[in-house]
Amino acid sequence: MNNQIGVIGSGNFGTAISVLLAHNTGVLLYARNKQVSETINRTHSHMGWTLPTRIKAISDLEEICQRCSVLFIAIPSFEFPNLARAMSPFLTPQHIVIHGVKGFALRDEQNRNYQITPHEGFPVRTMSEVLKSETNVIRIGCLSGPNLSKELLKRLPAASVIASAYDEVIVTAQNLLNQNKFKLYRSQHLKGTEIAGALKNIVAIASGMINGQNLGKNLESIVITKGLREMLIIGQSLDIAPDAFLGLAGIGDLIATSTAKSSRNYSFGYTIGQSDNIARALDETRDLVEGIGTTEIIFNYIRKANLTCPVIHMVYDVIFNKMEVQTAVDHIYAHNTTFDVDFL
Ligand SMILES: NC(=O)C1=CN([C@@H]2O[C@H](COP(=O)(O)OP(=O)(O)OC[C@H]3O[C@@H](n4cnc5c(N)ncnc54)[C@H](O)[C@@H]3O)[C@@H](O)[C@H]2O)C=CC1
Ligand SMILES: O=C(CO)COP(=O)(O)O
């Protein structure tokens, strides 16, 4: 292995991570499509962004795993189990693998209408759990925070969280990524960080819907605040400490994605809000919107776990029951109000 760092996934976030890494080290960027990697190597540009020459692209999964002892992964959650299985023969306990994926994988990949059993409270796997079960990698981390890729690629100031149970993972990520105007904060709450990053996407969709309908800043702030409450009570139901939800990977990312037009989750919600036509919004969306699948999975969970989560309910009803946004907003007003902060 040499000292190049591997990045798997050459989309928006993988490219942004590569550019940040290239400030401190050489990078091998994996693109599945050979034509894409050849074009990156020939033009030193990708998706309209000029790339540092320290980034070399590659299309051989075995080779990138053999050449890089530290790998970052940024691909959609629905492809993650397949990728983990494909990488498995090439990974060893010597590797450090850090993912930046904000979504879940179902334990039973065929069954979205899962059951909750007393022994398996959360019927989904986080990406670190997928890596643990599908590969022999031990030192796993998650990079998560308010990291809108367009802003990172424009080299605007940002920060993020590296979460891992292993100090070496945290220190390695900090050494590789810390630089002027980009800093990594540390967290030992790996699962909480992963869950926070996935759940905030649902709230970003809700906020987009409210803004697409011009329902005002008051309602937007209710949705974001109560959305955070729902993230926390889901965490509580899983015995996850609130820490992960209250830092940059929780409330920080929630603010970024629930207020930025460059967030794909927010802008998907915004399109629905503008047209009140979910079929059209789904049809027109070309971008990855992680929050759609997460809403379906988590709605099923909160129903079975008997948690009251009006914001998630609202998003579910609009997307999956084709309810109009203004009607779905009623979920927020359907309950008798009790203590404002009822979750600490
Ligand atoms: N774009 C952003 O601002 C941020 C995205 N994320 C998260 O990163 C993940 C990826 O998002 P984006 O990069 O934005 O998505 P994207 O849609 O821009 O890119 C995904 C890339 O993954 C590749 N890919 C898909 N399946 C693959 C496989 N099996 N093997 C290898 N490559 C594969 C695709 O070809 C594509 O290049 C998501 O979970 C997202 O929530 C996290 C932070 C910021
Ligand atoms: O998670 C993100 C920024 O931190 C990216 O959000 P979107 O996937 O909504 O674009």
Side-chain angles (χ1 to χ4, degrees):
M1 295 199 193
N2 68 15
N3 62 359
Q4 272 176 318
I5 304 302
V7 176
I8 295 182
S10 57
N12 289 285
F13 195 43
T15 306
I17 297 173
S18 302
V19 169
L20 286 167
L21 285 167
H23 187 268
N24 294 328
T25 180
V27 177
L28 269 189
L29 172 60
Y30 173 79
R32 281 185 296 184
N33 184 326
K34 206 161 193 299
Q35 264 184 338
V36 173
S37 61
E38 282 169 359
T39 309
I40 293 174
N41 290 336
R42 196 178 59 253
T43 63
H44 300 294
S45 67
H46 185 42
M47 300 190 305
W49 303 97
T50 301
L51 302 184
T53 50
R54 273 176 132 180
I55 298 176
K56 303 273 182 266
I58 182 171
S59 287
D60 186 324
L61 201 54
E62 179 171 2
E63 190 182 341
I64 191 169
C65 294
Q66 277 167 358
R67 286 174 62 183
C68 303
S69 57
V70 180
L71 293 158
F72 287 79
I73 305 181
I75 69 159
S77 54
F78 61 81
E79 268 293 320
F80 199 90
N82 289 335
L83 175 70
R85 285 189 281 269
M87 290 170 77
S88 178
F90 317 127
L91 290 172
T92 70
Q94 275 69 50
H95 280 94
I96 286 180
V97 178
I98 297 169
H99 78 84
V101 178
K102 293 174 179 169
F104 297 122
L106 281 171
R107 281 187 195 278
D108 174 355
E109 285 164 39
Q110 307 308 317
N111 181 12
R112 301 188 83 74
N113 194 25
Y114 48 78
Q115 297 299 318
I116 294 181
T117 68
H119 306 293
E120 196 188 322
F122 205 36
V124 300
R125 295 188 292 174
T126 63
M127 299 303 118
S128 67
E129 290 171 332
V130 173
L131 283 169
K132 271 184 222 152
S133 61
E134 304 289 351
T135 74
N136 56 10
V137 176
I138 296 159
R139 293 173 303 168
I140 296 169
C142 169
L143 180 72
S144 193
N147 291 160
L148 295 159
S149 57
K150 280 200 181 75
E151 294 190 11
L152 299 178
L153 285 159
K154 285 184 194 157
R155 309 310 319 266
L156 294 171
S160 199
V161 174
I162 173 68
S164 177
Y166 293 89
D167 272 353
E168 309 107 271
V169 176
I170 291 174
V171 172
T172 301
Q174 286 179 319
N175 288 341
L176 288 170
L177 281 164
N178 275 356
Q179 55 201 266
N180 193 13
K181 307 266 170 44
F182 189 81
K183 288 280 176 270
L184 289 188
Y185 291 83
R186 54 190 299 153
S187 166
Q188 268 147 3
H189 299 274
L190 175 59
K191 192 165 173 181
T193 301
E194 292 176 298
I195 292 174
L199 294 183
K200 64 83 196 170
N201 285 333
I202 308 177
V203 187
I205 295 176
S207 174
M209 287 175 179
I210 299 301
N211 282 295
Q213 290 253 319
N214 277 318
L215 292 175
K217 282 284 165 193
N218 290 336
L219 185 56
E220 183 196 273
S221 44
I222 293 168
V223 160
I224 295 174
T225 313
K226 295 303 175 192
L228 177 64
R229 170 192 169 273
E230 293 175 24
M231 291 164 62
L232 275 152
I233 66 166
I234 290 169
Q236 261 172 4
S237 75
L238 298 164
D239 284 331
I240 289 184
D243 308 45
F245 299 95
L246 298 175
L248 276 185
I251 189 163
D253 204 6
L254 181 64
I255 294 170
T257 28
S258 299
T259 60
K261 287 204 165 159
S262 60
S263 153
R264 290 144 320 166
N265 287 285
Y266 176 94
S267 59
F268 172 68
Y270 193 91
T271 308
I272 298 170
Q274 276 191 316
S275 65
D276 243 329
N277 188 332
I278 179 65
R280 205 170 83 203
L282 284 169
D283 197 46
E284 283 174 4
T285 300
R286 297 280 164 269
D287 286 329
L288 172 67
V289 183
E290 286 277 22
I292 300 173
T294 304
T295 300
E296 187 181 16
I297 291 171
I298 291 300
F299 179 74
N300 212 343
Y301 173 70
I302 59 173
R303 219 163 31 104
K304 289 178 179 157
N306 211 10
L307 302 175
T308 305
C309 297
V311 175
I312 295 173
H313 205 150
M314 170 189 137
V315 175
Y316 182 85
D317 269 346
V318 173
I319 299 180
F320 294 98
N321 290 331
K322 301 185 173 43
M323 192 180 276
E324 287 184 352
V325 174
Q326 300 244 13
T327 311
V329 165
D330 287 349
H331 285 299
I332 292 167
Y333 294 92
H335 305 276
N336 289 331
T337 49
T338 55
F339 286 100
D340 181 26
V341 177
D342 62 352
F343 47 87
L344 287 180

